[in-house]
Amino acid sequence: MSGSAITPVEEIKARSDYLRGTIEDSLADDATGALAEDDTQLAKFHGFYQQDDRDLRAERTRQKLEPAHSFMIRVRVPGGIATPAQWLEMDRLARRYGNQTLRLTTRQAFQFHGIIKRDLKATIAAINGALLDTIAACGDVNRNVMCTPLAERSDIHTAAYEVSKAISAHLTPNTSAYHEIWLDKKRVAGSEDHEPIYGATYLPRKFKIGVVIPPSNDVDIFSQDLGFIAIEEDGKLAGFNVTAGGGMGMHHGEPDTYPRVADIIGFCKPAQAVAVAEQVVKIQRDHGDRTNRKHARLKYTIDDNGLDWFREELNRRLGFDLQAKRPFRFLTRGDEIGWSLDAHGQWHLAVFVPQGRLADVGDVKMLSALAAIAKVHKGTFRLTANQNLIISGVADEEKNGVDRLLERHGVRSSDSLSPLRKQALACVALPTCALAMAEAERYLPTITDKLESLLARHGLGNEPVSLRITGCPNGCARPYLAEIGLVGKAPGQYSLFLGGNHDGSRLNKLASENMNESEILETLDRWLGYYASKRNPGETLGDFIDRKGLTLPWTD
Amino acid sequence: MAAAEREIITPVVGGSELTALQRVTRSFDRDQLLWSSGFLAGLAETRANVVPLQSARGHEWHIFYATETGNSRRVAERLAGEATAAGLSTVVQDLRDVRPKVLKNIDSAVFVVATHGVGDAPEGSEPFFEFWLSDKAPRLESLDFSVLALGDSSYADFCEVGKRFDARLRELGATAVVKRVDCDLDFEKPAEAWTKQILEQASKTVETNKSAHAAHLTSVPAKPEYGREHPFNADILTRQSITGRGSTKDVRHIELDLEGSGLVYQPGDSIGVLPSNPPQLVATLLQATGLEDDVVVDVDGESTTLQEALSNDKEITVLSRPVLDAVAESHPKLRSILESRDSFSKYLETHQLIDLIHEFPYDWQPQELVDALRRLTPRLYSIASSPDANPGEAHLTVAVVNYDAYGRQHWGSASNFLAGDAASAPIYVEPNDHFRLPTDGDTSIIMIAAGTGVAPFRAFVEHRREHANRGKNWLFFGERNFSSDFLYQLEWLRYRKEGALNNLDVAFSRDQKDKIYVQHRLLEKGADVYDWLEHGAYFYVCGDMKTMAPDVDRALHSIVREHGGMSADRATEYIDDLKRAGRYQRDVY
């Protein structure tokens, strides 16, 4: 295991003067499209990652040119709700500075890709101008707070959403560095920065919080460091079951690292949620491992000290005890694609967004369609944890207009899409993500096609099988909670994980490492045949595989 | 002989001792010299360890690593630490930072090589392995080597890079001293065992080398003198495109092999290239004139085919007066163009032979055409390399000329020849005493380049870095687009990081609405530029003669006026003084 020295990133944070580092010098250096090395770590706290086009890396090295650096900027959208004006500004920025696409992330955030260094400041300033921001969208801090966008049940949603916004605001870093660098605010002479919650070195690692409203578990609450499961009593929000210690990341070949589903540790009232969040963050600040980034998430802090210790520590810091958890039931994780009507007579359209990527491709001009809708829409846009989009709050008389705009831009109805495709997830991976070992977003359509025909062959075309692919084991698309999870190891090679369940409360298991596509399809073909003939009534694929202990019968 | 003497004696014996030795041996014939060498070697044996091992050239012990995660570097550094403790002189280098051919001059090397992904070389080291696995790789008979391969056995092609490189070195005649070991993720133990073995072997080798070294004298055969009239046929080692995708330019980095030519050069010199004309252009010309390729013509008293004459003897891209005169007789319009100096030079500048043939049809006879055409002349390219940093090589930075005009394809002759598929090029060295580094390495220099004008500055910086000169280096570079046209960007950034390049200012004219050129950057930094000049800095300009050089000159005048508080006349005097002192030098074309 690790020694006792703190990690280099901890040292960078400590000497950064509250996240300033030398970012301003890095921006001014026009001989390179990159930031100084230390600044690439600090950049994450400001909401962006340095990346490069990995398809071109070797070619450019030979050309004696540095990698084609660009930046991914992530926009914080607490609970995933944006106004039409904000949508239009995101659209403009994607076209002006980005790569003409807007990506919806698995954490209900917007992502711009392909921003070059000299456009960073203008882009981030414009995002702030639209009353959204990027601070703490990445980095060793609390990230975008997720919330079920469940539009149909707006009372509960509103109450839960307010809590997620309050937590997000409360845990936003306090440093004025962000405003100085991106918004040209002058530092008040002699003023000292102060981070009452985080301290000068912030958290040991990223921290993820979600708020979920049963019966949907769309935000995959068991994958979050800290989760709040809304408990409805008498049609009102009574409070939350609190979950802690979830996390997806692991590393190939390192059994000390593992994905973990969160434990439910008790119940709190809505007014207590912010305090619970603050104290859990502070426990992780004080007890998280700062000597090994692979062992620095809350899940390891809990496993190293024990769940009882964690609960006692939290109660002690809160000054009150969490109540006993209350009953709830999760039924689904996917989005109900299509129109739905809520109790107040408002319509909501959940639009399927392939791989979460909004773009104009050929005759299908999805990005333009949504910009056109944003110009007339009076409700909100809601980003879902499944990387889809809900056009929310449409009056009866405007419903046809929305349909027409979609149709005019070539966006077809999603009715004909298989359940598999509608809920499949992929992270960005190649060519931009520096961590990717294999394709994910670019590969998802292909593997989905092939898996669809396999399902059809076994008469399973309507089964809502969950498929998630990531380019590396860090787990951005939460692959360890899928029935079929593919985790990249090398170009064209994946580890196959099988046996997750539909409510996201059970991890799948490693079935086989280093499989190429034909090996994956062959294995899945055998499983689907086995499942089709031997399943219990209503049994899901993940449950079946889990029941069989991941063991296929011998065949000739 | 001189080279061999320097090789062996200089590092250990210097100054008055060397003079004395030279005085004694001056009258010796070959046999006496060989006998003496044995005599001296015997003496050395009796005084073992008196001469420190590490000072004898060739005993420097090279440890190379290629790393993705840092593991190989750590193994290499640990090995170096232990080797140094054992009294060996070691050099540790990352393979991404070395020229592949460096192995040719080394007789003992250790490689710690990682494989990442599926059989891939660590980032940045690809050019090294590509070179040695290619057909261009030279023999390495005198190299003793050992390889430690690192990898991850959960991937296919485990330790592939180490394995292939090990096999290739044997194939090239090198001797494996310690058997290759392949390590998995838990590399520590096998690496330690291997390190131990290496150190045992190394101490033995050094013992035997001590005696072998003295008998290493070989005579150097006399070389013919190569020059413009008698060019050397240099192998083209590399022709790498160095403009990225989406560039409006096509610039190639060409590496020529000078080994065995006896050619020497200094930074600032040029290489003359005698090209063959583009085959497509020759074919187009033959087609346009309707002449047969195999008709025999006379060129300077020798018979050859028209095809051959147009390919290798005659100028067919640049126009000259005799061709124009021949055609003008039957074309009044052309005659009037030729009558005015301005319209004539404008026509020369904007048209090639192929345009003339199309615009002014003429019934060319083969011999008449050949006689009217000028002899093919060499093209000069500023050398982009330091001879000391790249022994036996000369590098060029070549913009490939290739464009459409008047609905026709046009080619540049030498650039297409160098960028094409010829295995070698006839070349010679053209000295340029008007573009020289300051003799004092402590003097600072300011270099202003546009486009391929950066070539000699690459040579300058390489050279001053190689010689660890203390003078500061400042480069201004301009081109069109940052992402595709920043010539040698990786090298400049590395030099800047190392401290070999103190200031780097760039101007990319097409990345924003307003065109920004080097002179704008120069003016922005005017106060510092003037300060450097006041402290004795040299000022160099290389690139376009028509616009860039005059713009830079104007900027320099304005800087001296403003920051020196001088009148226009005083500033001109100041700059004239710089020129007279050789501190303002230009290589413009």
Side-chain angles (χ1 to χ4, degrees):
Chain A
M1 289 273 298
S2 62
S4 57
I6 62 162
T7 63
V9 177
E10 289 298 323
E11 290 171 16
I12 293 170
K13 286 189 270 184
R15 61 171 179 260
S16 74
D17 186 16
Y18 293 91
L19 309 178
R20 285 175 181 80
T22 57
I23 291 175
E24 294 200 289
D25 296 338
S26 278
L27 294 176
D29 179 2
D30 54 9
T32 171
L35 305 175
E37 211 172 313
D38 284 4
D39 292 335
T40 61
Q41 292 298 330
L42 300 172
K44 299 176 188 174
F45 292 80
H46 294 258
F48 60 98
Y49 273 72
Q50 180 172 309
Q51 307 186 322
D52 71 278
D53 188 334
R54 294 177 57 183
D55 290 349
L56 299 183
R57 217 184 250 185
E59 172 182 304
R60 287 182 64 92
T61 300
R62 278 196 292 274
Q63 289 167 337
K64 302 180 190 292
L65 294 168
E66 71 175 6
H69 292 294
S70 69
F71 295 85
M72 178 278 277
I73 301 181
R74 192 178 288 155
V75 183
R76 252 178 4 152
V77 192
I81 301 186
T83 65
Q86 287 170 333
W87 186 278
L88 285 172
E89 184 65 352
M90 296 304 111
D91 178 82
R92 182 184 77 85
L93 295 174
R95 294 172 196 272
R96 169 94 192 264
Y97 300 117
N99 64 353
Q100 327 302 315
T101 76
L102 193 55
R103 193 174 150 99
L104 311 180
T105 78
T106 54
R107 291 194 66 75
Q108 300 175 286
F110 289 114
Q111 264 178 207
F112 298 106
H113 289 262
I115 312 275
I116 53 175
K117 190 169 82 174
R118 63 173 178 270
D119 293 333
L120 269 175
K121 192 164 171 172
T123 310
I124 292 177
I127 291 166
N128 280 269
L131 302 181
L132 290 169
D133 63 24
T134 65
I135 186 170
C138 333
D140 298 342
V141 278
N142 172 52
R143 308 273 185 98
N144 195 40
V145 177
M146 298 178 71
C147 181
T148 306
L150 195 80
E152 300 91 306
R153 306 182 54 204
S154 33
D155 293 344
I156 295 289
H157 177 263
T158 304
Y161 172 62
E162 287 307 322
V163 170
S164 65
K165 267 206 313 197
I167 293 172
S168 175
H170 190 67
L171 296 179
T172 299
N174 212 31
T175 176
S176 54
Y178 183 83
H179 300 88
E180 288 165 24
I181 296 172
W182 309 109
L183 307 174
D184 289 330
K185 299 263 159 65
K186 289 278 171 290
R187 189 175 194 172
V188 181
S191 70
E192 269 286 308
D193 270 312
H194 179 54
E195 291 284 9
I197 297 176
Y198 291 113
T201 52
Y202 298 82
L203 294 181
R205 201 73 171 77
K206 62 186 169 190
F207 196 88
K208 299 181 174 182
I209 300 179
V211 176
V212 73
I213 307 171
S216 174
N217 184 22
D218 54 351
V219 309
D220 261 328
I221 203 72
F222 300 108
S223 73
Q224 314 280 341
D225 289 275
L226 175 63
F228 294 91
I229 302 172
I231 303 297
E232 181 187 347
E233 286 169 6
D234 307 324
K236 289 215 175 72
L237 180 67
F240 300 96
N241 280 347
V242 180
T243 69
M248 291 287 97
M250 59 164 277
H251 293 266
H252 289 308
E254 297 182 41
D256 290 345
T257 69
Y258 47 82
R260 184 183 187 280
V261 292
D263 295 294
I264 302 177
I265 58 169
F267 173 89
C268 75
K269 296 195 196 111
Q272 296 171 329
V274 168
V276 169
E278 176 179 333
Q279 295 310 330
V280 172
V281 162
K282 283 178 168 174
I283 292 174
Q284 172 61 358
R285 175 196 68 191
D286 297 340
H287 295 278
D289 187 351
R290 290 183 190 263
T291 67
N292 178 5
R293 289 184 68 78
K294 292 178 181 176
H295 186 257
R297 293 282 297 274
L298 179 66
K299 61 185 176 182
Y300 301 115
T301 311
I302 291 178
D303 280 352
D304 290 351
N305 295 283
L307 193 60
D308 289 341
W309 166 86
F310 177 75
R311 221 184 317 237
E312 281 162 27
E313 181 69 18
L314 177 59
N315 288 341
R316 189 182 66 76
R317 289 180 184 237
L318 283 169
F320 62 85
D321 287 1
L322 292 181
Q323 299 174 30
K325 67 178 177 186
R326 303 200 178 169
F328 68 96
R329 193 156 174 233
F330 284 140
L331 294 175
T332 60
R333 281 190 294 172
D335 299 326
E336 286 296 320
I337 302 297
W339 284 105
S340 59
L341 182 65
D342 70 19
H344 304 278
Q346 293 277 299
W347 287 93
H348 310 275
L349 175 63
V351 181
F352 172 66
V353 182
Q355 292 88 247
R357 181 76 70 176
L358 293 166
D360 289 353
V361 181
D363 295 336
V364 185
K365 299 189 166 51
M366 204 160 197
L367 189 63
S368 296
L370 290 160
I373 291 168
K375 283 181 191 149
V376 295
H377 182 43
K378 296 182 187 74
T380 57
F381 289 92
R382 301 185 179 198
L383 283 55
T384 83
N386 291 299
Q387 297 176 285
N388 294 319
L389 180 69
I390 301 172
I391 302 166
S392 182
V394 179
D396 202 37
E397 61 273 18
E398 278 156 10
K399 187 168 166 266
N400 284 339
V402 170
D403 278 336
R404 262 201 312 278
L405 282 173
L406 287 171
E407 207 179 288
R408 195 184 305 158
H409 289 88
V411 180
R412 287 180 314 143
S413 139
S414 306
D415 296 348
S416 58
L417 295 175
S418 69
L420 172 80
R421 192 175 298 265
K422 278 194 261 189
Q423 56 170 327
L425 294 185
C427 69
V428 176
L430 295 172
T432 51
C433 179
L435 303 172
M437 303 170 180
E439 298 284 349
E441 181 183 332
R442 294 196 292 195
Y443 178 53
L444 184 64
T446 315
I447 189 74
T448 307
D449 287 346
K450 295 184 175 169
L451 201 49
E452 268 179 353
S453 37
L454 273 189
L455 284 163
R457 182 131 58 84
H458 294 288
L460 300 167
N462 289 321
E463 283 299 315
V465 172
S466 66
L467 166 70
R468 296 177 176 184
I469 305 180
T470 56
C472 84
N474 287 304
C476 289
R478 305 186 285 271
Y480 311 111
L481 295 172
E483 292 175 287
I484 301 170
L486 294 174
V487 177
K489 275 208 80 173
Q493 303 263 320
Y494 296 85
S495 290
L496 174 65
F497 289 78
L498 294 174
N501 60 2
H502 278 199
D503 72 6
S505 62
R506 182 179 67 223
L507 290 174
N508 52 24
K509 297 191 182 73
L510 177 63
S512 189
E513 277 189 292
N514 287 324
M515 300 185 95
N516 61 29
E517 184 182 79
S518 63
E519 290 163 337
I520 292 165
L521 292 173
E522 198 187 301
T523 306
L524 292 176
D525 190 24
R526 291 181 57 200
W527 269 114
L528 292 175
Y530 191 26
Y531 170 62
S533 61
K534 303 283 189 214
R535 68 193 283 199
N536 292 330
E539 190 176 28
T540 63
L541 175 66
D543 286 349
F544 176 80
I545 295 176
D546 190 63
R547 176 162 67 83
K548 295 292 179 189
L550 263 80
T551 314
L552 276 165
W554 286 104
T555 55
D556 296 329
Chain B
M1 200 53 117
E5 272 176 10
R6 235 193 346 259
E7 182 104 335
I8 290 163
I9 299 166
T10 311
V12 211
V13 184
S16 57
E17 290 172 319
L18 182 60
T19 320
L21 187 58
Q22 282 166 338
R23 196 180 320 121
V24 173
T25 53
R26 193 172 299 147
S27 58
F28 282 14
D29 64 21
R30 185 183 150 81
D31 286 342
Q32 285 173 308
L33 281 171
L34 283 176
W35 182 88
S36 311
S37 73
F39 170 77
L40 292 171
L43 276 184
E45 274 301 274
T46 66
R47 296 180 201 170
N49 296 329
V50 172
V51 178
L53 289 177
Q54 41 270 64
S55 58
R57 178 160 175 177
H59 283 180
E60 205 147 67
W61 212 61
H62 289 263
I63 301 171
F64 296 106
Y65 63 86
T67 192
E68 186 73 23
T69 62
N71 288 337
S72 296
R73 177 173 46 84
R74 282 186 281 277
V75 173
E77 282 169 356
R78 196 178 317 140
L79 173 59
E82 292 180 25
T84 309
L88 293 162
S89 166
T90 58
V91 184
V92 187
Q93 276 173 298
D94 190 335
L95 284 180
R96 65 202 284 175
D97 296 332
V98 303
R99 294 177 307 108
K101 282 176 74 181
V102 74
L103 293 193
K104 283 175 68 181
N105 305 319
I106 287 176
D107 43 39
S108 178
V110 174
F111 300 90
V112 185
V113 176
T115 298
H116 90 111
V118 183
D120 296 325
E123 205 178 315
S125 67
E126 299 97 334
F128 181 88
F129 291 110
E130 272 170 26
F131 176 81
W132 285 106
L133 294 173
S134 77
D135 296 339
K136 289 190 307 192
R139 301 286 299 167
L140 285 173
E141 313 279 3
S142 61
L143 178 71
D144 289 345
F145 76 97
S146 307
V147 173
L148 181 73
L150 270 64
D152 177 348
S153 62
S154 75
Y155 287 91
D157 299 332
F158 172 56
C159 288
E160 180 68 7
V161 178
K163 287 176 185 169
R164 283 183 66 187
F165 185 56
D166 177 50
R168 180 60 172 160
L169 288 180
R170 291 164 200 267
E171 225 173 79
L172 294 172
T175 312
V177 178
V178 170
K179 193 164 174 276
R180 189 191 75 244
V181 171
D182 299 334
C183 305
D184 208 341
L185 285 181
D186 50 348
F187 61 92
E188 285 90 349
K189 273 209 180 123
E192 210 170 285
W194 178 84
T195 300
K196 216 167 133 194
Q197 232 184 323
I198 289 280
L199 289 170
E200 280 166 14
Q201 277 298 330
S203 47
K204 279 187 227 159
T205 317
V206 169
E207 289 299 315
T208 41
N209 269 1
K210 260 188 288 174
S211 47
H213 214 251
H216 200 59
L217 277 178
T218 50
S219 60
V220 182
K223 294 275 163 33
E225 291 261 327
Y226 292 110
R228 185 179 163 124
E229 299 311 316
H230 180 50
F232 172 70
N233 211 28
D235 285 347
I236 299 177
L237 299 171
T238 299
R239 48 162 64 87
Q240 171 64 51
S241 163
I242 55 170
T243 35
R245 292 187 189 197
S247 178
T248 55
K249 306 263 178 104
D250 177 6
V251 178
R252 309 293 174 95
H253 173 73
I254 307 284
E255 297 188 5
L256 301 170
D257 191 353
L258 300 188
E259 219 136 275
S261 70
L263 289 173
V264 291
Y265 67 90
Q266 298 179 53
D269 287 345
S270 295
I271 288 278
V273 177
L274 282 129
S276 295
N277 284 315
Q280 311 95 307
L281 178 58
V282 173
T284 312
L285 283 174
L286 286 169
Q287 201 188 9
T289 53
L291 298 173
E292 297 289 331
D293 57 0
D294 54 358
V295 56
V296 174
V297 291
D298 177 286
V299 177
D300 301 338
E302 292 195 23
S303 294
T304 185
T305 62
L306 180 58
Q307 158 106 29
E308 183 61 26
L310 294 180
S311 298
N312 292 317
D313 300 322
K314 292 295 175 174
E315 197 67 70
I316 60 170
T317 50
V318 186
L319 278 171
S320 57
R321 187 88 203 195
V323 199
L324 292 166
D325 284 342
V327 179
E329 280 176 32
S330 46
H331 286 286
K333 190 180 160 207
L334 180 59
R335 211 156 51 229
S336 71
I337 289 174
L338 299 187
E339 269 158 17
S340 138
R341 193 176 159 277
D342 282 354
S343 61
F344 168 58
S345 57
K346 174 101 185 155
Y347 192 84
L348 275 188
E349 212 175 279
T350 51
H351 291 72
Q352 290 194 351
L353 179 60
I354 186 70
D355 302 315
L356 178 79
I357 286 171
H358 274 100
E359 287 171 19
F360 300 105
Y362 179 76
D363 186 19
W364 285 105
Q365 295 308 302
Q367 190 62 48
E368 183 192 14
L369 176 63
V370 165
D371 288 343
L373 291 173
R374 210 170 59 180
R375 198 160 178 86
L376 186 56
T377 51
R379 268 43 168 195
L380 290 181
Y381 289 96
S382 300
I383 298 174
S385 55
S386 152
D388 296 346
N390 306 272
E393 292 179 8
H395 303 173
L396 308 179
T397 313
V398 177
V400 180
V401 179
N402 217 325
Y403 60 95
D404 279 315
Y406 320 113
R408 280 181 290 279
Q409 174 81 39
H410 291 67
W411 290 273
S413 178
S415 62
N416 280 285
F417 171 65
L418 289 169
D421 53 11
S424 62
I427 58 114
Y428 62 94
V429 171
E430 180 73 37
N432 180 2
D433 283 332
H434 301 293
F435 208 70
R436 284 280 178 258
L437 279 168
T439 44
D440 181 356
D442 287 352
T443 303
S444 298
I445 61 174
I446 300 171
M447 299 163 279
I448 322 287
T452 55
V454 81
F457 300 140
R458 181 175 182 266
F460 278 14
V461 176
E462 271 190 352
H463 203 73
R464 282 160 65 94
R465 172 176 177 264
E466 183 72 17
H467 290 276
N469 287 343
R470 287 182 307 174
K472 291 188 289 177
N473 303 318
W474 186 349
L475 175 68
F476 287 88
F477 174 75
E479 247 296 354
R480 286 180 178 168
N481 296 107
F482 168 77
S483 71
S484 58
D485 305 338
F486 192 170
L487 306 180
Y488 301 109
Q489 181 192 21
L490 274 183
E491 296 180 4
W492 302 125
L493 292 177
R494 176 160 25 108
Y495 293 157
R496 186 174 71 168
K497 202 168 170 185
E498 287 174 8
L501 185 63
N502 303 80
N503 291 352
L504 174 58
D505 284 279
V506 292
F508 294 97
S509 57
R510 300 197 178 179
D511 280 344
Q512 60 283 309
K513 247 186 273 155
D514 305 320
K515 296 231 165 132
I516 297 175
Y517 296 107
V518 278
Q519 62 270 19
H520 298 121
R521 296 291 183 227
L522 199 60
L523 288 167
E524 283 169 24
K525 298 290 168 80
D528 287 339
V529 169
Y530 183 72
D531 188 57
W532 280 47
L533 291 175
E534 281 291 282
H535 285 87
Y538 280 42
F539 190 87
Y540 299 91
V541 182
C542 184
D544 169 63
M545 179 166 56
K546 280 190 225 102
T547 56
M548 176 262 196
D551 286 341
V552 168
D553 190 66
R554 268 191 293 278
L556 182 61
H557 277 81
S558 122
I559 286 168
V560 172
R561 276 201 312 276
E562 184 185 339
H563 300 282
M566 296 181 201
S567 67
D569 288 348
R570 285 265 326 275
T572 304
E573 239 171 76
Y574 182 95
I575 289 166
D576 285 346
D577 284 345
L578 288 181
K579 287 182 189 159
R580 270 191 293 276
R583 286 175 52 204
Y584 179 10
Q585 302 184 21
R586 306 204 303 179
D587 177 6
V588 294
Y589 41 85

